[in-house]
Amino acid sequence: MLPAGRWKNGGVTATRLDGQAILKAIKDELRVRVAALAERGVVPGLGTVLVGDDPGSRWYVGAKHKDCAEIGITSIRRDLPAGTGLAEVLSVVRELNDDPACTGFIVQQPTGLDEFAILSAVDPAKDVDGLHPTNLGWLVLGRPAPLPCTPVGCVELLRRYDVPVAGAKVVVVGRGITVGRPLGLILTRRAENATVTLCHTGTRDLASEVRQADIVVAAAGVPGIITGDMVKPGAAVLDVGVSRVDDGSGKGRVAGDVADDVWDVAGYVSPNPGGVGPMTRALLLSNVVEAAERGAP
Ligand SMILES: Nc1nc(=O)c2c([nH]1)NC[C@@H]1CN(c3ccc(C(=O)N[C@@H](CCC(=O)O)C(=O)O)cc3)C=[N+]21
């Protein structure tokens, strides 16, 4: 990753879309709303359910609780040992559904268990991941409901840097349920008004699709799949793909979907790490505060 405005190979590199900086700004905004809720006697509480001891998952969950502490959201943490069964996870989900101190919660994925059984068991009003079938259904129907954090994080990151989305051609690479699929739905809403091409690993000529794009969202989970020769000069490129490459540290190094030479061609790059990851956490916080505001007396 290169800092903004640095010269490289004789050309000006892309402007860095700094998710960490925007996370900080969003925390400052949310802190005010949490304080207003406190005056009405409401304290938002984020619940997390974590199964097993994957170091990456542990880090994500720990970061989310640290974020919460910084802005006055209470943490409710349920760490379950590896090998915990579905019945036990579902009983913890029901417990959080019924706990008034928990205004929203997530079950950290993957659990190794039936993901759809778990998602469906969450009270849709407390689904701060925005991934419950009911909430995804509301998204398809264009009605207000909690939205998935990573796709909204992408849109918000572009908005904060004044990258125009309305009327833009956006190529999304990846059709997963947490990023690509919902991002296509969000970007084509009247409010965003983008023209979206949803590509995937079966797309015949990916390079020619990507070359058309004013905005590229790389969420395929294939390290380096987007290279500089595929990018229209000046385009915005968001690196969402997360692959963990073992570097012997135990945590692993994060490898994105965007190759380094994209910085020479693009106008904006959201790096990985430091881009959409922190934005995902920002939108999770925002969903927790919104859920608490909706439920407030
Ligand atoms: N129910 C559920 N909800 C999720 O939102 C969810 C999930 N399961 N499972 C895993 C993915 C992944 N995810 C990330 C969150 C923050 C960063 C993040 O903040 N990353 C930092 C640091 C990365 C590093 O150095 O390890 C960065 O990009 O700068 C990344 C990835 C949320 N996920």
Side-chain angles (χ1 to χ4, degrees), residues 20 59-60 64 106-109 129 244 251 254 272-274 277-278 280-281:
Q20 203 70 55
W59 186 89
Y60 294 143
K64 288 164 186 177
I106 65 159
V107 180
Q108 183 71 21
Q109 298 289 351
D129 264 335
R244 245 169 227 282
K251 189 186 156 195
V254 171
N272 194 344
T280 299
R281 282 155 47 205

Side-chain angles (χ1 to χ4, degrees), residues 1 19-20 23 49 56-57 59-61 63-64 67 105-110 115 119 128-129 131 149-150 178 239-240 242 244 251-254 271-281 284:
M1 194 223 309
Q20 203 70 55
L23 167 62
V49 183
S57 297
W59 186 89
Y60 294 143
V61 169
K64 288 164 186 177
D67 293 337
F105 68 100
I106 65 159
V107 180
Q108 183 71 21
Q109 298 289 351
E115 185 182 349
L119 277 174
V128 286
D129 264 335
L131 297 174
C149 302
T150 305
T178 55
D239 191 354
V240 187
V242 183
R244 245 169 227 282
K251 189 186 156 195
R253 183 175 62 80
V254 171
N272 194 344
V276 170
M279 292 302 295
T280 299
R281 282 155 47 205
L284 176 68

Side-chain angles (χ1 to χ4, degrees), residues 169-189:
K169 278 191 197 298
V170 183
V171 169
V172 178
V173 186
R175 55 184 154 185
I177 61 153
T178 55
V179 189
R181 182 90 62 200
L183 181 57
L185 293 165
I186 290 164
L187 285 169
T188 49
R189 298 187 305 184

